[in-house]
Amino acid sequence: MRRVSILGATGSIGQNTIDLIRRDMDNFEVVALTGGRNVALLAKSAIELGAKHAAIAEDALYQDLKNALAGSGISVSAGKLAIAQAAAMPVDWVMSSIVGAAGLEPGLIAMSNGANLALANKESMVAAGGLMKATAAENNVMILPVDSEHSAIFQALTGQSKSAVERVIITASGGPFRNWSNSELATVTPEQAMVHPNWSMGTRITIDSASMFNKGLEVLETKEFFEIEASQIEVLIHPQSIVHALVGFHDGNLLAHVGPPDMRHAIGFALYYPDRKPLPLNRLDLTKIGQLDFSEPDQNRFPALKLAYDVLELGGVAGAVYNASKEVALDAFIARHIRFLDMAEVVDRTLHRLFGTACELSTEQSLDNIIHADHMGRTIGQEEISALSA
Ligand code: NAD
Ligand code: MG
């Protein structure tokens, strides 16, 4: 019996996790589920899984959640603190699938209370990789990657000597605008960016995939997870999204991880780790795929990727600034205050202003420093958004 909680249970990763647990209820005891705003889905999921507790992030939704779960015996709470308290409930395994920097503290709290952390929330690793790993080590728990590329690398590295790794290649579909010119990219609307050619995911990561910010975040996540140099991390455009990552060793051998674009493979791997359980998911039929293509990403058309490598050079809390300024730029793009290409411009300008000459941000990755860097990234990012939208 494994006791589990899901943070961000109403999202795409959360619901895919629930889909796997629902098929194997005898082996899981579900403790807490959290959601942002979707009361109906949170309540439905909590009842279905027989959860002990449900927490919703929005204070004002407390009564709605209480009503939805009346008579179920499931306790309820609401607000930011309620999410933290739900994360602290003792369990063996927590899925960290809140989107954005909001997922950082709940993940840290879960590990501090002894849970192994299945990490979909890549922003935690980008903003605070050092702190995440230190917290895991102090509490003797694991961080299991759920991002498909990182799950792929993790699996390819199992049983291998880390010192023999020469390079890691992560793939990117290239998104819906892979072949668009700069002048075409200037016209992209939020609706166009919300459609991914291969993966079905939350709105924000889908737009990040279209701008390649998602791949930028994943380059930083790769560095933190696998502790390799920037020069060892490569990105390849691979429109079919079948090969998720490859690991190359000093002897020239290259191991690829191959699978259909269905997050339940990576989630299932983390859910049952270190065992492998039979999962009722579609098997890959390579004859139906026929062909696999690879090419170099164009960093001129997709500057988000180049910026990520700049952030790798800067180190310290630069990842927190990159992510925070990207989050406000993404909000501004969704609200139509800035254009698609302006998102990278906002992040570029924010990084320059905060790290250009005399940097006043401490490089030490304490939680306070990371929260401060995140705050500064949002504040300066917002100023640059105002300048661009004026
Ligand atoms: P989503 O938008 O579908 O779901 C996000 C979840 O977080 C929802 O439950 C939402 O209610 C909750 N949430 C949002 N803001 C919150 C807040 N301030 N406080 C508490 N809860 C909040 O997103 P998703 O696609 O499931 O992605 C979740 C995370 O997993 C992201 O970090 C994303 O980058 C990562 N990820 C997703 C996929 C995918 O296929 N969807 C793949 C790899 C990595
Ligand atoms: Mg990914």
mmCIF file with all atom_site columns, all heavy atoms in Angstrom, residues 8-14 35-37 57 83 97-100 102 120-123 147 200-202 205 263, ligand 1:
data_model
loop_
_atom_site.group_PDB
_atom_site.id
_atom_site.type_symbol
_atom_site.label_atom_id
_atom_site.label_alt_id
_atom_site.label_comp_id
_atom_site.label_asym_id
_atom_site.label_entity_id
_atom_site.label_seq_id
_atom_site.pdbx_PDB_ins_code
_atom_site.Cartn_x
_atom_site.Cartn_y
_atom_site.Cartn_z
_atom_site.occupancy
_atom_site.B_iso_or_equiv
_atom_site.pdbx_formal_charge
_atom_site.auth_seq_id
_atom_site.auth_comp_id
_atom_site.auth_asym_id
_atom_site.auth_atom_id
_atom_site.pdbx_PDB_model_num
ATOM   1   N N   . GLY A 1 8   ? -1.895  19.820 -7.458  1.00 0.00 ? 8   GLY A N   1
ATOM   2   C CA  . GLY A 1 8   ? -2.240  20.180 -8.838  1.00 0.00 ? 8   GLY A CA  1
ATOM   3   C C   . GLY A 1 8   ? -3.049  19.056 -9.472  1.00 0.00 ? 8   GLY A C   1
ATOM   4   O O   . GLY A 1 8   ? -2.873  18.733 -10.650 1.00 0.00 ? 8   GLY A O   1
ATOM   5   N N   . ALA A 1 9   ? -3.946  18.466 -8.670  1.00 0.00 ? 9   ALA A N   1
ATOM   6   C CA  . ALA A 1 9   ? -4.692  17.275 -9.112  1.00 0.00 ? 9   ALA A CA  1
ATOM   7   C C   . ALA A 1 9   ? -5.668  17.572 -10.244 1.00 0.00 ? 9   ALA A C   1
ATOM   8   O O   . ALA A 1 9   ? -6.063  16.659 -10.975 1.00 0.00 ? 9   ALA A O   1
ATOM   9   C CB  . ALA A 1 9   ? -5.441  16.670 -7.923  1.00 0.00 ? 9   ALA A CB  1
ATOM   10  N N   . THR A 1 10  ? -6.071  18.838 -10.398 1.00 0.00 ? 10  THR A N   1
ATOM   11  C CA  . THR A 1 10  ? -7.072  19.160 -11.420 1.00 0.00 ? 10  THR A CA  1
ATOM   12  C C   . THR A 1 10  ? -6.448  19.483 -12.772 1.00 0.00 ? 10  THR A C   1
ATOM   13  O O   . THR A 1 10  ? -7.168  19.730 -13.741 1.00 0.00 ? 10  THR A O   1
ATOM   14  C CB  . THR A 1 10  ? -7.931  20.356 -10.963 1.00 0.00 ? 10  THR A CB  1
ATOM   15  O OG1 . THR A 1 10  ? -7.054  21.466 -10.668 1.00 0.00 ? 10  THR A OG1 1
ATOM   16  C CG2 . THR A 1 10  ? -8.731  20.022 -9.719  1.00 0.00 ? 10  THR A CG2 1
ATOM   17  N N   . GLY A 1 11  ? -5.129  19.491 -12.849 1.00 0.00 ? 11  GLY A N   1
ATOM   18  C CA  . GLY A 1 11  ? -4.466  19.822 -14.117 1.00 0.00 ? 11  GLY A CA  1
ATOM   19  C C   . GLY A 1 11  ? -4.254  18.606 -15.002 1.00 0.00 ? 11  GLY A C   1
ATOM   20  O O   . GLY A 1 11  ? -4.691  17.490 -14.688 1.00 0.00 ? 11  GLY A O   1
ATOM   21  N N   . SER A 1 12  ? -3.561  18.836 -16.093 1.00 0.00 ? 12  SER A N   1
ATOM   22  C CA  . SER A 1 12  ? -3.323  17.781 -17.077 1.00 0.00 ? 12  SER A CA  1
ATOM   23  C C   . SER A 1 12  ? -2.488  16.638 -16.473 1.00 0.00 ? 12  SER A C   1
ATOM   24  O O   . SER A 1 12  ? -2.855  15.458 -16.561 1.00 0.00 ? 12  SER A O   1
ATOM   25  C CB  . SER A 1 12  ? -2.630  18.408 -18.287 1.00 0.00 ? 12  SER A CB  1
ATOM   26  O OG  . SER A 1 12  ? -2.151  17.441 -19.141 1.00 0.00 ? 12  SER A OG  1
ATOM   27  N N   . ILE A 1 13  ? -1.369  16.972 -15.825 1.00 0.00 ? 13  ILE A N   1
ATOM   28  C CA  . ILE A 1 13  ? -0.539  15.924 -15.199 1.00 0.00 ? 13  ILE A CA  1
ATOM   29  C C   . ILE A 1 13  ? -1.291  15.283 -14.030 1.00 0.00 ? 13  ILE A C   1
ATOM   30  O O   . ILE A 1 13  ? -1.285  14.055 -13.869 1.00 0.00 ? 13  ILE A O   1
ATOM   31  C CB  . ILE A 1 13  ? 0.802   16.519 -14.701 1.00 0.00 ? 13  ILE A CB  1
ATOM   32  C CG1 . ILE A 1 13  ? 1.668   16.961 -15.887 1.00 0.00 ? 13  ILE A CG1 1
ATOM   33  C CG2 . ILE A 1 13  ? 1.547   15.522 -13.808 1.00 0.00 ? 13  ILE A CG2 1
ATOM   34  C CD1 . ILE A 1 13  ? 2.307   15.853 -16.680 1.00 0.00 ? 13  ILE A CD1 1
ATOM   35  N N   . GLY A 1 14  ? -1.966  16.106 -13.232 1.00 0.00 ? 14  GLY A N   1
ATOM   36  C CA  . GLY A 1 14  ? -2.718  15.590 -12.083 1.00 0.00 ? 14  GLY A CA  1
ATOM   37  C C   . GLY A 1 14  ? -3.763  14.574 -12.528 1.00 0.00 ? 14  GLY A C   1
ATOM   38  O O   . GLY A 1 14  ? -3.872  13.471 -11.958 1.00 0.00 ? 14  GLY A O   1
ATOM   39  N N   . GLY A 1 35  ? -6.105  21.555 -5.681  1.00 0.00 ? 35  GLY A N   1
ATOM   40  C CA  . GLY A 1 35  ? -6.431  22.162 -6.971  1.00 0.00 ? 35  GLY A CA  1
ATOM   41  C C   . GLY A 1 35  ? -6.342  23.669 -6.862  1.00 0.00 ? 35  GLY A C   1
ATOM   42  O O   . GLY A 1 35  ? -6.257  24.219 -5.754  1.00 0.00 ? 35  GLY A O   1
ATOM   43  N N   . GLY A 1 36  ? -6.369  24.346 -7.998  1.00 0.00 ? 36  GLY A N   1
ATOM   44  C CA  . GLY A 1 36  ? -6.281  25.809 -8.009  1.00 0.00 ? 36  GLY A CA  1
ATOM   45  C C   . GLY A 1 36  ? -7.651  26.450 -7.876  1.00 0.00 ? 36  GLY A C   1
ATOM   46  O O   . GLY A 1 36  ? -7.942  27.155 -6.910  1.00 0.00 ? 36  GLY A O   1
ATOM   47  N N   . ARG A 1 37  ? -8.541  26.158 -8.837  1.00 0.00 ? 37  ARG A N   1
ATOM   48  C CA  . ARG A 1 37  ? -9.853  26.806 -8.870  1.00 0.00 ? 37  ARG A CA  1
ATOM   49  C C   . ARG A 1 37  ? -11.004 25.880 -9.228  1.00 0.00 ? 37  ARG A C   1
ATOM   50  O O   . ARG A 1 37  ? -12.156 26.214 -9.003  1.00 0.00 ? 37  ARG A O   1
ATOM   51  C CB  . ARG A 1 37  ? -9.838  27.900 -9.958  1.00 0.00 ? 37  ARG A CB  1
ATOM   52  C CG  . ARG A 1 37  ? -9.159  29.139 -9.491  1.00 0.00 ? 37  ARG A CG  1
ATOM   53  C CD  . ARG A 1 37  ? -9.496  30.284 -10.434 1.00 0.00 ? 37  ARG A CD  1
ATOM   54  N NE  . ARG A 1 37  ? -8.365  31.203 -10.469 1.00 0.00 ? 37  ARG A NE  1
ATOM   55  C CZ  . ARG A 1 37  ? -7.822  31.678 -11.569 1.00 0.00 ? 37  ARG A CZ  1
ATOM   56  N NH1 . ARG A 1 37  ? -8.321  31.364 -12.746 1.00 0.00 ? 37  ARG A NH1 1
ATOM   57  N NH2 . ARG A 1 37  ? -6.808  32.495 -11.511 1.00 0.00 ? 37  ARG A NH2 1
ATOM   58  N N   . ALA A 1 57  ? -6.799  26.231 -3.802  1.00 0.00 ? 57  ALA A N   1
ATOM   59  C CA  . ALA A 1 57  ? -5.892  27.369 -3.566  1.00 0.00 ? 57  ALA A CA  1
ATOM   60  C C   . ALA A 1 57  ? -6.622  28.686 -3.344  1.00 0.00 ? 57  ALA A C   1
ATOM   61  O O   . ALA A 1 57  ? -6.138  29.563 -2.639  1.00 0.00 ? 57  ALA A O   1
ATOM   62  C CB  . ALA A 1 57  ? -4.922  27.502 -4.740  1.00 0.00 ? 57  ALA A CB  1
ATOM   63  N N   . ILE A 1 83  ? -2.782  24.746 0.940   1.00 0.00 ? 83  ILE A N   1
ATOM   64  C CA  . ILE A 1 83  ? -2.010  23.927 -0.015  1.00 0.00 ? 83  ILE A CA  1
ATOM   65  C C   . ILE A 1 83  ? -0.738  23.434 0.668   1.00 0.00 ? 83  ILE A C   1
ATOM   66  O O   . ILE A 1 83  ? -0.365  22.254 0.567   1.00 0.00 ? 83  ILE A O   1
ATOM   67  C CB  . ILE A 1 83  ? -1.662  24.743 -1.292  1.00 0.00 ? 83  ILE A CB  1
ATOM   68  C CG1 . ILE A 1 83  ? -2.920  25.281 -1.981  1.00 0.00 ? 83  ILE A CG1 1
ATOM   69  C CG2 . ILE A 1 83  ? -0.810  23.905 -2.258  1.00 0.00 ? 83  ILE A CG2 1
ATOM   70  C CD1 . ILE A 1 83  ? -3.847  24.257 -2.574  1.00 0.00 ? 83  ILE A CD1 1
ATOM   71  N N   . SER A 1 97  ? 2.591   18.669 -9.297  1.00 0.00 ? 97  SER A N   1
ATOM   72  C CA  . SER A 1 97  ? 2.138   19.053 -10.647 1.00 0.00 ? 97  SER A CA  1
ATOM   73  C C   . SER A 1 97  ? 1.317   20.335 -10.642 1.00 0.00 ? 97  SER A C   1
ATOM   74  O O   . SER A 1 97  ? 0.421   20.509 -11.472 1.00 0.00 ? 97  SER A O   1
ATOM   75  C CB  . SER A 1 97  ? 1.377   17.902 -11.303 1.00 0.00 ? 97  SER A CB  1
ATOM   76  O OG  . SER A 1 97  ? 0.280   17.486 -10.511 1.00 0.00 ? 97  SER A OG  1
ATOM   77  N N   . ILE A 1 98  ? 1.660   21.234 -9.711  1.00 0.00 ? 98  ILE A N   1
ATOM   78  C CA  . ILE A 1 98  ? 1.150   22.610 -9.807  1.00 0.00 ? 98  ILE A CA  1
ATOM   79  C C   . ILE A 1 98  ? 1.962   23.268 -10.923 1.00 0.00 ? 98  ILE A C   1
ATOM   80  O O   . ILE A 1 98  ? 3.130   22.936 -11.113 1.00 0.00 ? 98  ILE A O   1
ATOM   81  C CB  . ILE A 1 98  ? 1.343   23.335 -8.448  1.00 0.00 ? 98  ILE A CB  1
ATOM   82  C CG1 . ILE A 1 98  ? 0.394   22.730 -7.407  1.00 0.00 ? 98  ILE A CG1 1
ATOM   83  C CG2 . ILE A 1 98  ? 1.135   24.844 -8.579  1.00 0.00 ? 98  ILE A CG2 1
ATOM   84  C CD1 . ILE A 1 98  ? 0.612   23.231 -5.987  1.00 0.00 ? 98  ILE A CD1 1
ATOM   85  N N   . VAL A 1 99  ? 1.372   24.199 -11.647 1.00 0.00 ? 99  VAL A N   1
ATOM   86  C CA  . VAL A 1 99  ? 2.131   24.865 -12.712 1.00 0.00 ? 99  VAL A CA  1
ATOM   87  C C   . VAL A 1 99  ? 2.775   26.139 -12.164 1.00 0.00 ? 99  VAL A C   1
ATOM   88  O O   . VAL A 1 99  ? 2.186   26.837 -11.335 1.00 0.00 ? 99  VAL A O   1
ATOM   89  C CB  . VAL A 1 99  ? 1.233   25.150 -13.951 1.00 0.00 ? 99  VAL A CB  1
ATOM   90  C CG1 . VAL A 1 99  ? 0.097   26.117 -13.640 1.00 0.00 ? 99  VAL A CG1 1
ATOM   91  C CG2 . VAL A 1 99  ? 2.073   25.679 -15.120 1.00 0.00 ? 99  VAL A CG2 1
ATOM   92  N N   . GLY A 1 100 ? 4.004   26.412 -12.587 1.00 0.00 ? 100 GLY A N   1
ATOM   93  C CA  . GLY A 1 100 ? 4.678   27.662 -12.254 1.00 0.00 ? 100 GLY A CA  1
ATOM   94  C C   . GLY A 1 100 ? 5.425   27.627 -10.932 1.00 0.00 ? 100 GLY A C   1
ATOM   95  O O   . GLY A 1 100 ? 5.474   26.597 -10.242 1.00 0.00 ? 100 GLY A O   1
ATOM   96  N N   . ALA A 1 102 ? 4.633   28.694 -8.240  1.00 0.00 ? 102 ALA A N   1
ATOM   97  C CA  . ALA A 1 102 ? 3.741   28.380 -7.108  1.00 0.00 ? 102 ALA A CA  1
ATOM   98  C C   . ALA A 1 102 ? 3.935   26.942 -6.632  1.00 0.00 ? 102 ALA A C   1
ATOM   99  O O   . ALA A 1 102 ? 3.559   26.593 -5.518  1.00 0.00 ? 102 ALA A O   1
ATOM   100 C CB  . ALA A 1 102 ? 2.280   28.604 -7.502  1.00 0.00 ? 102 ALA A CB  1
ATOM   101 N N   . ALA A 1 120 ? 6.843   16.953 -11.727 1.00 0.00 ? 120 ALA A N   1
ATOM   102 C CA  . ALA A 1 120 ? 6.459   17.467 -13.043 1.00 0.00 ? 120 ALA A CA  1
ATOM   103 C C   . ALA A 1 120 ? 6.758   18.953 -13.098 1.00 0.00 ? 120 ALA A C   1
ATOM   104 O O   . ALA A 1 120 ? 7.121   19.489 -14.136 1.00 0.00 ? 120 ALA A O   1
ATOM   105 C CB  . ALA A 1 120 ? 4.968   17.216 -13.287 1.00 0.00 ? 120 ALA A CB  1
ATOM   106 N N   . ASN A 1 121 ? 6.622   19.612 -11.937 1.00 0.00 ? 121 ASN A N   1
ATOM   107 C CA  . ASN A 1 121 ? 6.825   21.067 -11.841 1.00 0.00 ? 121 ASN A CA  1
ATOM   108 C C   . ASN A 1 121 ? 8.292   21.425 -12.103 1.00 0.00 ? 121 ASN A C   1
ATOM   109 O O   . ASN A 1 121 ? 9.094   21.588 -11.177 1.00 0.00 ? 121 ASN A O   1
ATOM   110 C CB  . ASN A 1 121 ? 6.382   21.551 -10.448 1.00 0.00 ? 121 ASN A CB  1
ATOM   111 C CG  . ASN A 1 121 ? 6.575   23.049 -10.270 1.00 0.00 ? 121 ASN A CG  1
ATOM   112 O OD1 . ASN A 1 121 ? 7.607   23.494 -9.773  1.00 0.00 ? 121 ASN A OD1 1
ATOM   113 N ND2 . ASN A 1 121 ? 5.618   23.838 -10.687 1.00 0.00 ? 121 ASN A ND2 1
ATOM   114 N N   . LYS A 1 122 ? 8.645   21.552 -13.391 1.00 0.00 ? 122 LYS A N   1
ATOM   115 C CA  . LYS A 1 122 ? 10.033  21.826 -13.771 1.00 0.00 ? 122 LYS A CA  1
ATOM   116 C C   . LYS A 1 122 ? 10.516  23.152 -13.229 1.00 0.00 ? 122 LYS A C   1
ATOM   117 O O   . LYS A 1 122 ? 11.707  23.352 -13.009 1.00 0.00 ? 122 LYS A O   1
ATOM   118 C CB  . LYS A 1 122 ? 10.171  21.766 -15.290 1.00 0.00 ? 122 LYS A CB  1
ATOM   119 C CG  . LYS A 1 122 ? 9.372   22.801 -16.038 1.00 0.00 ? 122 LYS A CG  1
ATOM   120 C CD  . LYS A 1 122 ? 9.370   22.529 -17.539 1.00 0.00 ? 122 LYS A CD  1
ATOM   121 C CE  . LYS A 1 122 ? 8.343   21.482 -17.914 1.00 0.00 ? 122 LYS A CE  1
ATOM   122 N NZ  . LYS A 1 122 ? 8.330   21.077 -19.304 1.00 0.00 ? 122 LYS A NZ  1
ATOM   123 N N   . GLU A 1 123 ? 9.565   24.099 -13.009 1.00 0.00 ? 123 GLU A N   1
ATOM   124 C CA  . GLU A 1 123 ? 9.946   25.424 -12.528 1.00 0.00 ? 123 GLU A CA  1
ATOM   125 C C   . GLU A 1 123 ? 10.700  25.344 -11.201 1.00 0.00 ? 123 GLU A C   1
ATOM   126 O O   . GLU A 1 123 ? 11.572  26.176 -10.931 1.00 0.00 ? 123 GLU A O   1
ATOM   127 C CB  . GLU A 1 123 ? 8.692   26.304 -12.376 1.00 0.00 ? 123 GLU A CB  1
ATOM   128 C CG  . GLU A 1 123 ? 7.948   26.567 -13.703 1.00 0.00 ? 123 GLU A CG  1
ATOM   129 C CD  . GLU A 1 123 ? 6.882   25.523 -14.038 1.00 0.00 ? 123 GLU A CD  1
ATOM   130 O OE1 . GLU A 1 123 ? 6.896   24.408 -13.453 1.00 0.00 ? 123 GLU A OE1 1
ATOM   131 O OE2 . GLU A 1 123 ? 6.028   25.804 -14.911 1.00 0.00 ? 123 GLU A OE2 1
ATOM   132 N N   . ASP A 1 147 ? 8.971   15.067 -16.139 1.00 0.00 ? 147 ASP A N   1
ATOM   133 C CA  . ASP A 1 147 ? 9.056   15.649 -17.476 1.00 0.00 ? 147 ASP A CA  1
ATOM   134 C C   . ASP A 1 147 ? 9.558   14.535 -18.408 1.00 0.00 ? 147 ASP A C   1
ATOM   135 O O   . ASP A 1 147 ? 10.485  13.797 -18.043 1.00 0.00 ? 147 ASP A O   1
ATOM   136 C CB  . ASP A 1 147 ? 10.058  16.816 -17.432 1.00 0.00 ? 147 ASP A CB  1
ATOM   137 C CG  . ASP A 1 147 ? 9.654   17.947 -18.353 1.00 0.00 ? 147 ASP A CG  1
ATOM   138 O OD1 . ASP A 1 147 ? 8.800   17.719 -19.226 1.00 0.00 ? 147 ASP A OD1 1
ATOM   139 O OD2 . ASP A 1 147 ? 10.196  19.054 -18.198 1.00 0.00 ? 147 ASP A OD2 1
ATOM   140 N N   . SER A 1 200 ? -1.016  16.711 -25.470 1.00 0.00 ? 200 SER A N   1
ATOM   141 C CA  . SER A 1 200 ? -2.152  17.389 -24.856 1.00 0.00 ? 200 SER A CA  1
ATOM   142 C C   . SER A 1 200 ? -1.728  17.794 -23.446 1.00 0.00 ? 200 SER A C   1
ATOM   143 O O   . SER A 1 200 ? -1.479  16.940 -22.597 1.00 0.00 ? 200 SER A O   1
ATOM   144 C CB  . SER A 1 200 ? -3.340  16.426 -24.827 1.00 0.00 ? 200 SER A CB  1
ATOM   145 O OG  . SER A 1 200 ? -4.269  16.865 -23.876 1.00 0.00 ? 200 SER A OG  1
ATOM   146 N N   . MET A 1 201 ? -1.619  19.113 -23.184 1.00 0.00 ? 201 MET A N   1
ATOM   147 C CA  . MET A 1 201 ? -1.060  19.579 -21.899 1.00 0.00 ? 201 MET A CA  1
ATOM   148 C C   . MET A 1 201 ? -1.821  20.814 -21.445 1.00 0.00 ? 201 MET A C   1
ATOM   149 O O   . MET A 1 201 ? -2.679  21.327 -22.152 1.00 0.00 ? 201 MET A O   1
ATOM   150 C CB  . MET A 1 201 ? 0.415   19.964 -22.082 1.00 0.00 ? 201 MET A CB  1
ATOM   151 C CG  . MET A 1 201 ? 1.254   18.940 -22.791 1.00 0.00 ? 201 MET A CG  1
ATOM   152 S SD  . MET A 1 201 ? 2.995   19.418 -22.945 1.00 0.00 ? 201 MET A SD  1
ATOM   153 C CE  . MET A 1 201 ? 2.927   20.645 -24.254 1.00 0.00 ? 201 MET A CE  1
ATOM   154 N N   . GLY A 1 202 ? -1.479  21.341 -20.252 1.00 0.00 ? 202 GLY A N   1
ATOM   155 C CA  . GLY A 1 202 ? -2.073  22.584 -19.770 1.00 0.00 ? 202 GLY A CA  1
ATOM   156 C C   . GLY A 1 202 ? -1.750  23.742 -20.712 1.00 0.00 ? 202 GLY A C   1
ATOM   157 O O   . GLY A 1 202 ? -0.800  23.669 -21.499 1.00 0.00 ? 202 GLY A O   1
ATOM   158 N N   . ILE A 1 205 ? 2.039   25.499 -20.425 1.00 0.00 ? 205 ILE A N   1
ATOM   159 C CA  . ILE A 1 205 ? 3.168   24.736 -20.987 1.00 0.00 ? 205 ILE A CA  1
ATOM   160 C C   . ILE A 1 205 ? 3.001   24.596 -22.510 1.00 0.00 ? 205 ILE A C   1
ATOM   161 O O   . ILE A 1 205 ? 3.988   24.548 -23.242 1.00 0.00 ? 205 ILE A O   1
ATOM   162 C CB  . ILE A 1 205 ? 3.371   23.365 -20.288 1.00 0.00 ? 205 ILE A CB  1
ATOM   163 C CG1 . ILE A 1 205 ? 4.579   22.626 -20.868 1.00 0.00 ? 205 ILE A CG1 1
ATOM   164 C CG2 . ILE A 1 205 ? 2.154   22.512 -20.308 1.00 0.00 ? 205 ILE A CG2 1
ATOM   165 C CD1 . ILE A 1 205 ? 4.928   21.333 -20.170 1.00 0.00 ? 205 ILE A CD1 1
ATOM   166 N N   . MET A 1 263 ? 2.031   11.287 -21.496 1.00 0.00 ? 263 MET A N   1
ATOM   167 C CA  . MET A 1 263 ? 2.738   11.526 -20.233 1.00 0.00 ? 263 MET A CA  1
ATOM   168 C C   . MET A 1 263 ? 2.547   10.404 -19.223 1.00 0.00 ? 263 MET A C   1
ATOM   169 O O   . MET A 1 263 ? 3.292   10.298 -18.254 1.00 0.00 ? 263 MET A O   1
ATOM   170 C CB  . MET A 1 263 ? 2.293   12.861 -19.615 1.00 0.00 ? 263 MET A CB  1
ATOM   171 C CG  . MET A 1 263 ? 2.850   14.086 -20.286 1.00 0.00 ? 263 MET A CG  1
ATOM   172 S SD  . MET A 1 263 ? 4.661   14.069 -20.428 1.00 0.00 ? 263 MET A SD  1
ATOM   173 C CE  . MET A 1 263 ? 5.147   14.139 -18.715 1.00 0.00 ? 263 MET A CE  1
HETATM 174 P P1  . NAD B 2 .   ? -2.266  22.557 -15.792 1.00 0.00 ? 1   NAD B P1  1
HETATM 175 O O1  . NAD B 2 .   ? -2.418  24.015 -16.005 1.00 0.00 ? 1   NAD B O1  1
HETATM 176 O O2  . NAD B 2 .   ? -3.090  21.624 -16.576 1.00 0.00 ? 1   NAD B O2  1
HETATM 177 O O3  . NAD B 2 .   ? -2.493  22.221 -14.236 1.00 0.00 ? 1   NAD B O3  1
HETATM 178 C C1  . NAD B 2 .   ? -1.883  22.978 -13.230 1.00 0.00 ? 1   NAD B C1  1
HETATM 179 C C2  . NAD B 2 .   ? -2.410  22.593 -11.860 1.00 0.00 ? 1   NAD B C2  1
HETATM 180 O O4  . NAD B 2 .   ? -1.895  23.528 -10.903 1.00 0.00 ? 1   NAD B O4  1
HETATM 181 C C3  . NAD B 2 .   ? -3.939  22.671 -11.737 1.00 0.00 ? 1   NAD B C3  1
HETATM 182 O O5  . NAD B 2 .   ? -4.368  21.704 -10.816 1.00 0.00 ? 1   NAD B O5  1
HETATM 183 C C4  . NAD B 2 .   ? -4.147  24.059 -11.175 1.00 0.00 ? 1   NAD B C4  1
HETATM 184 O O6  . NAD B 2 .   ? -5.365  24.208 -10.509 1.00 0.00 ? 1   NAD B O6  1
HETATM 185 C C5  . NAD B 2 .   ? -2.987  24.151 -10.206 1.00 0.00 ? 1   NAD B C5  1
HETATM 186 N N1  . NAD B 2 .   ? -2.571  25.519 -9.883  1.00 0.00 ? 1   NAD B N1  1
HETATM 187 C C6  . NAD B 2 .   ? -2.336  26.532 -10.748 1.00 0.00 ? 1   NAD B C6  1
HETATM 188 N N2  . NAD B 2 .   ? -1.947  27.631 -10.075 1.00 0.00 ? 1   NAD B N2  1
HETATM 189 C C7  . NAD B 2 .   ? -1.910  27.289 -8.757  1.00 0.00 ? 1   NAD B C7  1
HETATM 190 C C8  . NAD B 2 .   ? -1.565  27.987 -7.565  1.00 0.00 ? 1   NAD B C8  1
HETATM 191 N N3  . NAD B 2 .   ? -1.164  29.273 -7.590  1.00 0.00 ? 1   NAD B N3  1
HETATM 192 N N4  . NAD B 2 .   ? -1.625  27.325 -6.386  1.00 0.00 ? 1   NAD B N4  1
HETATM 193 C C9  . NAD B 2 .   ? -2.019  26.037 -6.346  1.00 0.00 ? 1   NAD B C9  1
HETATM 194 N N5  . NAD B 2 .   ? -2.360  25.323 -7.439  1.00 0.00 ? 1   NAD B N5  1
HETATM 195 C C10 . NAD B 2 .   ? -2.304  25.942 -8.630  1.00 0.00 ? 1   NAD B C10 1
HETATM 196 O O7  . NAD B 2 .   ? -0.715  22.245 -16.000 1.00 0.00 ? 1   NAD B O7  1
HETATM 197 P P2  . NAD B 2 .   ? -0.031  20.870 -16.443 1.00 0.00 ? 1   NAD B P2  1
HETATM 198 O O8  . NAD B 2 .   ? 0.074   20.841 -17.922 1.00 0.00 ? 1   NAD B O8  1
HETATM 199 O O9  . NAD B 2 .   ? -0.644  19.728 -15.720 1.00 0.00 ? 1   NAD B O9  1
HETATM 200 O O10 . NAD B 2 .   ? 1.449   21.104 -15.902 1.00 0.00 ? 1   NAD B O10 1
HETATM 201 C C11 . NAD B 2 .   ? 1.770   20.991 -14.530 1.00 0.00 ? 1   NAD B C11 1
HETATM 202 C C12 . NAD B 2 .   ? 3.280   21.060 -14.363 1.00 0.00 ? 1   NAD B C12 1
HETATM 203 O O11 . NAD B 2 .   ? 3.863   19.940 -15.019 1.00 0.00 ? 1   NAD B O11 1
HETATM 204 C C13 . NAD B 2 .   ? 3.930   22.286 -15.007 1.00 0.00 ? 1   NAD B C13 1
HETATM 205 O O12 . NAD B 2 .   ? 5.028   22.672 -14.242 1.00 0.00 ? 1   NAD B O12 1
HETATM 206 C C14 . NAD B 2 .   ? 4.394   21.783 -16.362 1.00 0.00 ? 1   NAD B C14 1
HETATM 207 O O13 . NAD B 2 .   ? 5.482   22.504 -16.867 1.00 0.00 ? 1   NAD B O13 1
HETATM 208 C C15 . NAD B 2 .   ? 4.789   20.356 -16.012 1.00 0.00 ? 1   NAD B C15 1
HETATM 209 N N6  . NAD B 2 .   ? 4.728   19.410 -17.132 1.00 0.00 ? 1   NAD B N6  1
HETATM 210 C C16 . NAD B 2 .   ? 3.548   19.176 -17.757 1.00 0.00 ? 1   NAD B C16 1
HETATM 211 C C17 . NAD B 2 .   ? 3.480   18.284 -18.828 1.00 0.00 ? 1   NAD B C17 1
HETATM 212 C C18 . NAD B 2 .   ? 2.168   17.958 -19.494 1.00 0.00 ? 1   NAD B C18 1
HETATM 213 O O14 . NAD B 2 .   ? 2.147   17.096 -20.365 1.00 0.00 ? 1   NAD B O14 1
HETATM 214 N N7  . NAD B 2 .   ? 1.075   18.588 -19.147 1.00 0.00 ? 1   NAD B N7  1
HETATM 215 C C19 . NAD B 2 .   ? 4.649   17.653 -19.264 1.00 0.00 ? 1   NAD B C19 1
HETATM 216 C C20 . NAD B 2 .   ? 5.850   17.909 -18.607 1.00 0.00 ? 1   NAD B C20 1
HETATM 217 C C21 . NAD B 2 .   ? 5.881   18.799 -17.537 1.00 0.00 ? 1   NAD B C21 1
#
